[in-house]
Amino acid sequence: MVHFFNTTKTKDIPKEDYDELMKLFKRCDVNNDGKLSWEEVKAGFRRLQSRFPLYRTHRAFQLADENHDGFINVDDELDKLVTYAL
């Protein structure tokens, strides 16, 4: 299913799915700097076999990169990325 606008609340998401995606995106942090770059997020969507990983990455950064530094911080912003990915 493709979500163009995320209206899902975290409490509505099955915990197993949420935890699985948290682990997947944390594994995408290949340089272990605690931040996900554009390429690392795109790799995550490719692992999820997204039909449009470039678009999904762009949208994820719009929603999750709150401080607009070009990275998604694993400690502070990953929740928004995972919620969007679901």
Side-chain angles (χ1 to χ4, degrees), residues 30-68:
V30 292
N31 59 0
N32 295 315
D33 63 354
K35 300 182 288 186
L36 294 171
S37 68
W38 180 274
E39 289 301 320
E40 290 170 332
V41 173
K42 189 169 70 172
F45 282 113
R46 284 192 173 141
R47 286 184 187 174
L48 292 171
Q49 299 179 350
S50 171
R51 291 181 75 186
F52 305 104
L54 188 61
Y55 172 79
R56 296 292 306 260
T57 301
H58 174 73
R59 188 75 178 125
F61 271 85
Q62 286 180 325
L63 295 170
D65 185 16
E66 292 178 330
N67 60 3
H68 306 290

